[in-house]
């Protein structure tokens, strides 16, 4: 067999001959082995015969075929082993990659930049690989989750040549990281991304929207405002928004929603960029009237650094006092000189206080929550006035002046019902005829102001001249004059502005008393079609409020009277048993020469007298008849006197106690005075914190009028400067 194989392939190639000889021998040996095994355990005669035939009588062609078959089997086996090895290696690599992406995904979701940075350093390719089913990268996911520090650190980590490639990667929906920031409203991330690669503003997603349009369609006000500023003025998106009717409608909705959410900065940017939005329909101005901020109250205005207080007002406060003191003793020219010097002095003090106040305010706005809220309210109010003016300017630009009422009537009525005086004032200044307009119920602005207790708008009645007489006899369809309207119960949101039911009822009574001055005397008792006079309507509507006011006043008086009684007991006992004892022969206190003992004696006496006064005042409240008219002045005034007396007695008691401690325990130890004073101030500060708002409300509600012409200064209104100025005018003319 060897000779046959060798002779056939000897001439072609020695190497091939050697290989054929090798595989032929292996094939023959394999055949022999198979034959021997078949002889040992023959299972089938045919199989045994076939094996013998192959082993004994095989020709050279059959052997070649057998060799080729053997080589083919061996090659296939080697290929299978190689493929298996490669598949296993890929599986291991894929498993490792999935595990790595899982850790990176977890770190990104948690905002853990340290762990994410460790993975990215070892595997740079992870920056561009998707790590969730939406094919979001690390940057996409960090922006979506709002981990701003993570986003900033990641962008800083990128090399300059990597920035463009990484930030422009799109997810399954064709969105870049800036698209994601626009969708979720992550303005800070948008600023970081645009700062790194401004071309992101022009990249579109699979829906053909760039980031600006994406923020616009998702109504992300703050992010949209920033992208609007960052985008080029010739941006195609801006042109599309301002020209497409569908986009204009969406823009108006966005503007209305921004105003509703009090995002006035966004609304300003929209109106300035797209003026059409302001006059597309009446809902823009209507929403401004509905959500216009109330602004700062008297005390917030007083502590605000740009408070509208003028030194001349303070000079006028002091002038009557100076006039009363010196007018009978010195010539008028000296009085005028004193008055002028007073104004100069006050102006100087005011300027110095302002210079100190302003930097302190800036620090406080960052540290104190209450100051931050005041700053935010002030900013909202100023921005709302700007957007109001811009929208009204666009309305005035309309060609047909007859369409003004379509834009102004509804917002005017809405503002009148919500006490939004700046809106009413702006509209009336531009279109005075609005004051004659009537709503669907037949009520005009002044009547709506009375119904909804909008005192600022009602005060416009003092500026309308002869038209004021119109309200002396005006009636609605039910025969209700303006005094009947005041007899109805005020809206709940207006009642809740007052502290306690008693002050709520007091404000209702003040409205009734004010309108009695407006209507004709015969209309005070005139009946409507339901046979009810204004007083009958008032009593019926306020029956429950009177009961609530009575209970509130009694509860407050009882609690305070108990406190006053305890103070009387303490200070009376302290007065009898003086600190340090007395001289047994003369009965004179041993520390009578000590200044601290004098302070104790005076403070103890003040505390005893004021607490006794407070107790008597609270007892007079408890024994009151609690009629409707008592809530106008009598009961609030008594409560104010009682609370002020109680505060003075509490303060004097703490001073007396501190003086006693100093006399008895602090001999030659003056350092103990500091902790004693600090401890004594704690209950006083606590009392002020808890009760001062009520005391201020009682004073403002009782002694500061809300009707009539007002001074421009908030502080002047707070302390009743109108009355003082009138007094000065009378004294000057006498």
């Amino acid at each position: 067999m060897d000779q046959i194989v060798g002779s056939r392939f000897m001439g072609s190639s020695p190497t091939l001959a050697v290989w054929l000889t090798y595989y032929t021998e292996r094939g023959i040996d394999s055949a022999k082995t198979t034959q021997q095994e078949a002889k040992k355990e023959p299972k089938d005669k045919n199989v045994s015969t076939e094996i013998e035939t192959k082993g004994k009588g095989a020709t050279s062609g059959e052997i070649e075929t057998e060799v080729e078959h053997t080589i083919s089997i061996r090659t296939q086996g080697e290929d299978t082993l190689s493929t298996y090895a490669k598949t296993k290696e890929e599986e291991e690599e894929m498993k490792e990659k999935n595990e790595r992406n899982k850790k990176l995904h977890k770190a990104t979701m948690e905002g853990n930049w340290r762990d994410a940075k460790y993975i990215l350093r070892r595997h740079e390719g992870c920056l561009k690989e998707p790590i969730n089913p939406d094919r979001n990268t690390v940057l996409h996911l960090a922006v979506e989750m709002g981990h701003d520090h993570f986003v900033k650190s990641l962008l800083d980590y990128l090399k300059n040549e990597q920035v463009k490639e990484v930030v422009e990667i799109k997810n399954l929906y064709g969105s870049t990281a800036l698209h994601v920031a626009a969708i979720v409203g992550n303005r800070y991330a948008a600023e970081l991304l645009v700062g790194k690669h401004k071309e992101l503003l022009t990249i579109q997603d699979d829906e053909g929207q760039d980031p600006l349009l994406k923020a616009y369609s998702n109504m992300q006000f703050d992010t949209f405002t920033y992208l609007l500023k960052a985008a080029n003025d010739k941006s195609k998106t801006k042109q599309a928004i301002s020209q497409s009717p569908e986009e204009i409608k969406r823009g108006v909705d966005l503007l209305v929603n921004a105003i509703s959410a009090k995002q006035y900065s966004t609304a300003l940017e929209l109106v300035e960029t797209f003026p059409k939005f302001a006059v597309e329909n009446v809902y823009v101005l209507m929403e401004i009237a509905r959500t216009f901020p109330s602004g700062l109250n008297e005390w917030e205005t007083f502590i605000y650094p740009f408070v509208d207080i003028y030194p001349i007002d303070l000079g006028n406060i002091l002038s009557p006092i100076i006039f009363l003191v010196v007018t009978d003793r010195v010539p008028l020219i000296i009085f005028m000189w004193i008055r002028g010097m007073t104004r100069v002095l006050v102006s100087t003090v005011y300027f110095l206080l302002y210079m100190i106040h302003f930097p302190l305010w800036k620090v406080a706005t960052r540290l104190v929550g209450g100051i931050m809220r005041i700053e935010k309210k002030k900013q909202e109010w100023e921005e709302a006035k700007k957007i109001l003016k811009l929208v009204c300017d666009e309305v005035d630009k309309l060609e047909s002046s007859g369409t003004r009422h379509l834009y102004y009537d509804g917002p005017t009525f809405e503002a009148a019902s919500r006490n939004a005086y700046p809106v009413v004032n702006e509209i009336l200044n531009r279109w005075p005829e609005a004051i004659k307009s009537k709503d669907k119920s037949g009520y005009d602005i002044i009547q709506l102001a009375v119904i909804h207790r909008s005192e600022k708008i009602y005060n416009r009645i003092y500026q309308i001249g002869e038209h004021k007489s119109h309200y002396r006899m005006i009636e609605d369809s039910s025969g209700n004059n303006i005094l009947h309207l005041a007899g109805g119960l005020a809206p709940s949101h207006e009642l809740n502005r007052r502290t306690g039911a008693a002050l709520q009822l007091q404000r209702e009574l003040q409205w009734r008393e004010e309108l009695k001055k407006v209507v004709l005397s015969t209309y005070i008792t005139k009946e409507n079609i339901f046979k009810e006079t204004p007083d009958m309507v008032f009593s019926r509507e306020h029956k429950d409020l009177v009961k609530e006011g009575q209970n509130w006043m009694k509860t407050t008086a009882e609690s305070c009277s108990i406190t006053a009684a305890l103070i009387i007991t303490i200070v009376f006992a302290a007065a009898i048993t003086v600190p340090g004892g007395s001289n047994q022969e003369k009965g004179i206190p041993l520390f009578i020469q000590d200044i601290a003992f004098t302070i104790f004696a005076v403070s103890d006496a003040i505390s005893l007298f004021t607490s006794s006064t407070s107790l008597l005042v609270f007892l007079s409240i408890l024994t009151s008849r609690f009629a409707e008219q008592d809530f106008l002045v009598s009961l609030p005034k008594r409560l104010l006197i009682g609370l002020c007396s109680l505060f003075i007695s509490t303060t004097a008691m703490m001073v007396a106690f501190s003086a006693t401690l100093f006399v008895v325990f602090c001999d030659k130890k003056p350092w103990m005075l500091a902790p004693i004073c600090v401890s004594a101030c704690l209950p006083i500060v606590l009392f002020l914190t808890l009760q001062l708002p009520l005391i201020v409300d009682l004073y403002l509600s009782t002694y500061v009028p809300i009707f009539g012409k007002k001074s421009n200064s908030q502080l002047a209104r707070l302390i009743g400067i109108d009355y003082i100025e009138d007094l000065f005018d009378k004294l000057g003319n006498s």
Side-chain angles (χ1 to χ4, degrees):
M1 185 67 66
D2 295 342
Q3 293 175 356
I4 295 173
V5 175
S7 61
R8 177 165 295 193
F9 296 99
M10 188 65 71
S12 59
S13 173
T15 305
L16 181 60
V18 172
W19 277 103
L20 287 175
T21 303
Y22 170 74
Y23 282 112
T24 301
E25 290 176 352
R26 289 197 60 184
I28 295 171
D29 293 339
S30 176
K32 288 180 179 179
T33 303
T34 305
Q35 185 178 10
Q36 291 174 359
E37 290 177 355
K39 287 181 178 180
K40 290 180 181 179
E41 297 180 2
K43 294 182 181 179
D44 192 349
K45 291 182 179 181
N46 296 329
V47 174
S48 177
T49 305
E50 184 179 354
I51 292 173
E52 289 179 0
T53 304
K54 285 184 178 181
K56 293 181 179 180
T59 63
S60 60
E62 292 173 346
I63 292 174
E64 291 176 10
T65 303
E66 186 69 22
V67 170
E68 292 175 358
H69 179 65
T70 304
I71 294 172
S72 175
I73 292 174
R74 184 176 181 87
T75 303
Q76 290 177 4
E78 291 175 352
D79 292 341
T80 302
L81 288 173
S82 176
T83 303
Y84 175 75
K86 289 181 180 179
T87 304
K88 189 173 183 181
E89 183 179 349
E90 290 176 355
E91 287 180 356
E92 291 292 335
E93 184 179 350
M94 185 62 68
K95 184 177 180 181
E96 181 183 353
K97 180 180 178 181
N98 291 338
E99 189 67 25
R100 183 174 66 246
N101 286 345
K102 186 177 180 181
K103 292 180 180 179
L104 187 58
H105 183 274
K106 181 181 178 182
T108 307
M109 291 290 289
E110 295 175 352
N112 189 343
W113 168 244
R114 186 180 64 177
D115 291 351
K117 184 179 180 181
Y118 175 77
I119 297 172
L120 294 175
R121 277 183 173 177
R122 298 183 62 186
H123 306 279
E124 287 285 342
C126 292
L127 283 168
K128 308 171 188 176
E129 294 177 356
I131 58 174
N132 71 354
D134 290 336
R135 300 192 63 79
N136 285 322
T137 64
V138 176
L139 185 59
H140 284 90
L141 196 58
V143 171
E144 181 181 355
M145 297 305 298
H147 299 313
D148 296 335
H149 174 70
F150 190 102
V151 175
K152 186 178 185 304
S153 301
L154 178 58
L155 292 175
D156 292 340
Y157 173 78
L158 295 176
K159 300 175 183 177
N160 292 334
E161 59 272 14
Q162 291 179 311
V163 171
K164 183 178 184 299
E165 187 177 1
V166 172
V167 299
E168 288 187 357
I169 295 176
K170 296 183 177 182
N171 62 11
L172 184 64
Y173 309 104
S175 300
T176 64
L178 187 58
H179 283 94
V180 175
I183 293 171
V184 301
N186 191 340
R187 172 171 177 162
Y188 183 73
E191 291 176 357
L192 293 174
L193 290 166
V194 173
K196 280 287 184 180
H197 191 57
K198 194 170 183 179
E199 285 72 17
L200 286 172
L201 291 166
T202 60
I203 297 178
Q204 297 181 347
D205 61 5
D206 291 346
E207 296 179 356
Q209 294 184 340
D210 59 16
L212 176 62
L213 196 57
K214 209 69 179 178
Y216 177 75
S217 58
N218 284 274
M219 293 192 177
Q220 298 293 351
F221 309 123
D222 202 25
T223 308
F224 174 77
T225 303
Y226 167 72
L227 294 176
L228 194 62
K229 293 178 180 178
N232 192 338
D233 291 337
K234 297 181 180 179
S235 170
K236 294 181 180 179
T237 300
K238 289 186 179 181
Q239 296 177 5
I241 292 174
S242 60
Q243 294 176 2
S244 170
E246 182 180 351
E247 295 301 333
I248 290 176
K249 182 180 181 301
R250 184 182 293 178
V252 173
D253 292 340
L254 179 64
L255 178 58
V256 171
N257 287 331
I259 295 171
S260 178
K262 296 191 176 182
Q263 297 283 341
Y264 296 114
S265 58
T266 302
L268 276 170
E269 194 70 29
L270 278 170
V271 174
E272 289 174 352
T273 309
F274 309 107
K276 289 183 180 179
F277 292 175
V279 292
E280 187 65 22
N281 56 47
V282 73
Y283 296 114
V284 175
L285 195 55
M286 182 74 79
E287 196 63 32
I288 294 175
R290 185 178 292 116
T291 62
F292 200 89
S294 59
L296 305 182
N297 58 34
E298 284 81 1
W299 286 105
E300 290 172 340
T301 304
F302 176 68
I303 65 174
Y304 195 79
F306 297 104
V307 59
D308 55 343
I309 171 177
Y310 302 99
I312 187 172
D313 289 335
L314 295 178
N316 285 339
I317 293 173
L318 299 178
S319 293
I321 302 174
I322 300 171
F323 187 91
L324 292 174
V325 173
V326 303
T327 189
D328 294 330
R329 302 179 184 177
V330 296
L332 182 61
I333 189 167
I334 297 180
F335 162 71
M336 297 303 295
W337 179 83
I338 295 175
R339 179 183 180 183
M341 291 302 296
T342 302
R343 291 183 177 182
V344 172
L345 178 62
V346 170
S347 300
T348 305
V349 173
Y350 173 76
F351 177 76
L352 293 175
L353 289 176
Y354 176 81
M355 295 301 293
I356 298 172
H357 190 191
F358 184 77
L360 290 178
W361 178 269
K362 289 301 180 183
V363 175
T365 52
R366 299 180 180 273
L367 301 178
V368 184
I371 300 297
M372 292 173 64
R373 286 192 294 271
I374 294 175
E375 181 75 20
K376 184 178 179 181
K377 285 178 66 177
K378 181 68 173 179
Q379 184 179 358
E380 277 187 357
W381 190 79
E382 290 178 348
E383 290 177 347
K385 286 198 70 175
K386 289 180 182 178
I387 187 66
L388 172 64
K389 187 177 183 303
L390 280 176
V391 173
C392 290
D393 287 342
E394 293 301 321
V395 172
D396 291 343
K397 291 178 184 178
L398 296 176
E399 295 181 2
S400 176
S401 60
T403 60
R404 278 189 177 185
H405 71 280
L406 299 176
Y407 289 91
Y408 283 150
D409 280 355
T412 305
F413 299 141
E414 185 68 28
S417 63
R418 294 183 180 272
N419 204 12
Y421 175 73
V423 179
V424 174
N425 189 53
E426 186 73 25
I427 293 176
L428 290 179
N429 289 339
R430 294 170 180 268
W431 192 49
E433 295 298 318
I435 199 168
K436 300 178 182 179
S437 301
K438 296 181 181 293
D439 67 355
K440 296 179 180 179
S441 301
Y443 296 126
D444 63 9
I445 296 174
I446 301 299
Q447 288 174 303
L448 287 173
V450 172
I451 294 172
H452 296 279
R453 305 299 192 266
S454 302
E455 64 273 4
K456 293 180 181 179
I457 298 171
Y458 168 79
N459 286 330
R460 291 283 303 196
I461 199 173
Y462 292 97
Q463 304 174 20
I464 58 179
E466 60 183 15
H467 191 63
K468 178 181 177 181
S469 60
H470 170 69
Y471 295 98
R472 298 173 66 85
M473 299 177 291
I474 189 172
E475 293 181 348
D476 63 8
S477 58
S478 299
N480 295 313
N481 58 44
I482 198 169
L483 192 55
H484 280 95
L485 300 180
L489 188 64
S492 58
H493 66 272
E494 283 296 324
L495 289 175
N496 292 333
R497 292 172 58 189
R498 312 267 76 82
T499 304
L503 295 186
Q504 293 173 1
L505 182 58
Q506 183 192 39
R507 181 51 51 90
E508 294 289 274
L509 289 165
Q510 288 172 346
W511 272 96
R512 185 176 71 171
E513 295 301 315
E514 166 64 20
L515 291 171
K516 281 183 178 180
K517 303 174 185 177
V518 175
V519 300
L520 294 175
S521 57
T522 56
Y523 276 65
I524 296 176
T525 57
K526 187 176 181 180
E527 297 178 346
N528 58 15
I529 62 174
F530 304 106
K531 303 298 180 181
E532 289 181 319
T533 63
D535 287 343
M536 293 170 62
V537 173
F538 187 92
S539 298
R540 173 172 53 81
E541 291 287 330
H542 295 82
K543 179 174 59 176
D544 294 335
L545 189 60
V546 171
K547 292 180 180 178
E548 293 175 8
Q550 178 180 347
N551 294 333
W552 182 84
M553 191 68 75
K554 280 186 175 181
T555 303
T556 305
E558 287 174 356
S559 302
C560 293
S561 60
I562 293 173
T563 305
L566 290 174
I567 294 175
I568 292 173
T569 305
I570 294 170
V571 296
F572 185 78
I576 296 175
T577 58
V578 294
S582 304
N583 189 322
Q584 294 182 356
E585 296 179 358
K586 298 182 179 180
I588 300 175
L590 298 177
F591 294 104
I592 194 171
Q593 301 298 329
D594 200 325
I595 297 177
F597 183 83
T598 305
I599 295 174
F600 158 76
V602 173
S603 301
D604 192 79
I606 292 174
S607 180
L608 179 62
F609 299 149
T610 52
S611 58
S612 300
T613 303
S614 176
L615 180 61
L616 293 174
V617 170
F618 289 129
L619 287 176
S620 70
I621 293 175
L622 293 173
T623 57
S624 175
R625 59 176 184 163
F626 293 102
E628 282 181 3
Q629 202 64 22
D630 292 340
F631 287 91
L632 181 60
V633 176
S634 176
L635 290 175
K637 183 172 66 174
R638 294 181 192 180
L639 184 59
L640 178 61
I641 294 172
L643 288 173
C644 291
S645 301
L646 185 61
F647 171 70
I648 295 172
S649 65
T650 304
T651 304
M653 180 184 67
M654 297 311 300
V655 172
F657 181 73
S658 301
T660 302
L661 289 178
F662 185 79
V663 168
V664 177
F665 300 105
C666 299
D667 186 27
K668 298 181 181 180
K669 296 178 182 178
W671 61 268
M672 292 185 66
L673 184 62
I676 291 174
C677 291
V678 172
S679 301
C681 288
L682 289 177
I684 299 173
V685 172
L686 186 62
F687 187 96
L688 280 175
T689 304
L690 298 177
Q691 300 301 329
L692 184 61
L694 176 58
I695 294 174
V696 172
D697 284 346
L698 283 168
Y699 172 77
L700 294 177
S701 184
T702 306
Y703 294 105
V704 179
I706 62 172
F707 302 109
K709 292 183 179 181
K710 298 297 174 182
S711 172
N712 291 328
S713 172
Q714 292 280 1
L715 182 62
R717 291 199 295 270
L718 182 64
I719 61 179
I721 193 173
D722 294 325
Y723 169 76
I724 296 176
E725 289 179 345
D726 291 341
L727 176 62
F728 177 76
D729 291 338
K730 292 178 181 178
L731 291 172
N733 294 329
S734 60

